[in-house]
């Protein structure tokens, strides 16, 4: 049966408590919604229009956060999403599918309705709209059909339920606004996975501390490109001089890198002591996303860099120490010269106080007498 002709399953009314629990779970983001409606303004959806979209099976929401499958070229698969009307009136939602992509911040999104899809977004067939009563959920089937010529690897797409409205843009002018909530759809076409990653040139800056006894930090910025055909999770290490860091940092989310995507990554490297010119290295070792048990090994990529790190505080301390040492040595030399001058003065005063020196007394000379006897004085 064609998906547009397939029956749409309407979830029967539940108990009030169960419905309240479902609404609370959706509002808390536990249902894997890919986005939220745009901020409300004049002409945008009424505040009472609230909805969510989740992966589902034929009976309703099934707890998955996205739709992921590995399919052969030419293979088809029927999937389901559930559209939940969280408002207090009946709503008709437009349904659409489009190619997926990641933003510069790593968030997943899908092409706007006026943009033309050329890849996995064209593989999805879904009904054009669905009407959902207030507080109810409707399960909508969709079919994913992989073309025979599809290339192996990961192909991202998204399906969304949207509401159209108008916004005033000045005198006699209005703009159409589409507010969408969707689900991520990833199709891995079977065949040879060839993951590859590239690292661009690294630009780095050094931020030193004016405390000479504390190291500074290096900020290294570089671009990582997914040059293969499989989704990657970015991870690695960076070093500069005596500093080192891992990325992503704790609590940081870099998001997946889809095939063909490029993402700028900045890493702060602490503990780098300034030494005029610091050598640096970036080591990128991403992981290949596992899908239906299929994954592949991936070689790491590296890039080297250098950054100037002038040890100005340390040089100032060294100059101050040299000046202090020079002053101490000069002081010792001056003190010794004064001491030597005082000693010379004391010797000179001692000689003057002793007066003229008398010549030594002459001893009488005795001549020996004949026969060995000593004669008298001459």
């Amino acid at each position: 049966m064609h998906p547009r002709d397939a029956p749409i399953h309407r979830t029967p009314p539940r108990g009030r408590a169960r419905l309240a629990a479902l609404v609370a779970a959706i509002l808390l983001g536990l249902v894997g919604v890919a986005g939220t409606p745009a901020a409300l303004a004049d002409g945008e959806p009424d505040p009472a229009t609230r909805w969510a979209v989740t992966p589902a099976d034929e009976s309703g929401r099934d707890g998955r956060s996205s739709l992921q499958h590995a399919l052969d070229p030419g293979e088809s698969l029927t999937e389901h999403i559930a559209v939940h009307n969280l408002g207090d009136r009946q709503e008709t939602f437009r349904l659409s599918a489009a190619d997926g992509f990641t933003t510069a911040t790593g968030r997943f999104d899908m092409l706007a309705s006026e943009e033309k899809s050329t890849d996995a977004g064209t593989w999805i067939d879904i009904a054009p709209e669905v009407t959902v009563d207030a507080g109810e959920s409707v399960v909508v089937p969709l079919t994913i059909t992989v073309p025979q010529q599809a290339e192996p690897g990961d192909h991202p797409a998204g399906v969304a339920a949207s509401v159209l409205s108008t916004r005033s843009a000045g005198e006699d002018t209005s703009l159409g606004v589409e507010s969408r909530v969707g689900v991520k759809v990833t199709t891995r076409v079977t065949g040879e996975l060839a993951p590859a990653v590239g690292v661009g040139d690294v630009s780095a800056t050094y931020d030193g501390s004016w405390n000479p006894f504390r190291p500074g930090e290096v900020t290294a910025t570089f671009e990582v490109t997914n040059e293969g055909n499989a989704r990657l999770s970015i991870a690695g290490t960076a070093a500069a001089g005596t500093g080192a860091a891992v990325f992503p940092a704790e609590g940081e989310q870099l998001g997946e890198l889809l095939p063909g995507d490029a993402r700028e990554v900045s890493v702060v490297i602490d503990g780098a002591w300034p030494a005029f010119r610091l050598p640096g290295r970036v080591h990128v070792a991403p992981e290949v996303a596992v899908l239906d048990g299929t994954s592949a090994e991936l070689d790491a990529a590296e890039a080297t860099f250098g950054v100037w790190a002038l040890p100005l505080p340390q040089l100032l301390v060294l100059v101050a120490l040299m000046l202090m040492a020079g002053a101490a040595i000069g002081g010792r030399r001056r003190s010794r010269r004064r001491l030597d001058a005082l000693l010379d003065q004391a010797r000179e005063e001692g000689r003057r106080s002793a007066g003229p020196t008398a010549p030594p007394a002459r001893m009488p000379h005795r001549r020996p007498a004949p026969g060995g006897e000593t004669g008298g004085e001459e």
Side-chain angles (χ1 to χ4, degrees):
M1 180 181 296
H2 197 280
R4 295 180 182 271
D5 301 324
I8 295 178
H9 302 279
R10 299 180 181 275
T11 304
R14 316 284 187 181
R16 180 174 299 178
R18 186 169 182 178
L19 178 59
L22 173 61
V23 172
I26 293 172
L27 293 178
L28 288 173
L30 301 178
V31 293
V33 179
T36 56
L40 297 172
D42 292 341
E44 293 189 14
D46 188 279
T49 304
R50 296 178 295 117
W51 70 103
V53 181
T54 66
D57 55 24
E58 292 183 355
S59 60
R61 171 172 164 255
D62 59 8
R64 291 178 293 172
S65 61
S66 65
L67 303 177
Q68 302 185 57
H69 296 284
L71 300 175
D72 296 328
E75 185 178 359
S76 293
L77 174 73
T78 298
E79 261 290 2
H80 302 82
I81 60 170
V83 181
H84 310 277
N85 183 354
L86 308 180
D88 56 6
R89 67 187 183 191
Q90 184 185 79
E91 296 287 351
T92 296
F93 301 98
R94 290 185 56 183
L95 301 177
S96 60
D99 290 349
F101 66 95
T102 52
T103 65
T105 59
R107 294 178 61 87
F108 180 82
D109 202 350
M110 55 187 284
L111 296 180
S113 57
E114 64 271 15
E115 299 182 74
K116 184 177 180 179
S117 295
T118 59
D119 195 51
T122 65
W123 303 353
I124 300 173
D125 196 6
I126 191 170
E129 62 181 31
V130 62
T131 299
V132 187
D133 292 334
E136 298 297 323
S137 300
V138 175
V139 174
V140 182
L142 58 97
T143 299
I144 305 170
T145 302
V146 179
Q148 287 286 356
Q149 70 276 15
E151 296 182 357
D154 292 331
H155 299 261
V159 291
S162 60
V163 173
L164 295 179
S165 59
T166 58
R167 176 191 299 176
S168 176
E171 294 183 2
D172 302 325
T173 304
S174 61
L175 297 175
V177 177
E178 181 183 33
S179 302
R180 300 185 303 178
V181 178
V183 168
K184 181 179 179 181
V185 181
T186 302
T187 303
R188 174 166 290 179
V189 179
T190 57
E192 182 182 359
L193 286 182
V197 65
V199 181
D201 293 337
V202 182
S203 63
T205 57
Y206 181 78
D207 184 14
S209 171
W210 283 105
N211 184 343
F213 305 106
R214 294 187 61 183
E217 62 182 31
V218 173
T219 300
T221 302
F222 51 94
E223 188 175 74
V224 180
T225 304
N226 185 342
E227 300 175 346
N229 62 0
R231 293 176 299 150
L232 304 177
S233 297
I234 304 173
T237 61
T242 56
V246 298
F247 61 89
E250 185 177 355
E252 182 183 11
Q253 297 291 332
L254 295 179
E256 287 185 336
L257 199 62
L258 299 175
D261 276 356
R263 180 131 343 116
E264 185 177 84
V265 179
S266 291
V267 183
V268 177
I269 307 170
D270 291 321
W273 287 97
F276 293 98
R277 185 72 174 173
L278 303 181
R281 178 180 61 87
V282 171
H283 180 86
V284 180
E287 296 181 355
V288 181
V290 177
L291 185 59
D292 288 353
T294 59
S295 184
E297 296 295 327
L298 173 62
D299 294 332
E302 288 193 351
T304 58
F305 64 94
V307 59
W308 289 105
L310 300 180
L312 296 179
Q314 289 78 10
L315 289 176
L316 292 176
V317 171
L318 179 61
V319 170
L321 291 176
M322 292 176 63
L323 292 175
M324 292 172 62
I329 293 173
R332 291 181 61 185
R333 288 177 177 174
R334 288 191 295 270
S335 297
R336 184 164 185 174
R337 286 195 295 268
R338 287 196 298 270
L339 179 60
D340 290 343
L342 290 174
L343 290 175
D344 291 342
Q345 182 181 356
R347 294 191 189 100
E348 183 62 26
E349 290 178 353
R351 285 194 296 269
R352 285 198 297 266
S353 63
T357 303
R362 186 175 180 181
M363 300 295 294
H365 179 70
R366 294 178 181 276
R367 185 176 59 186
E373 294 181 3
T374 304
E377 296 181 358
E378 291 184 356

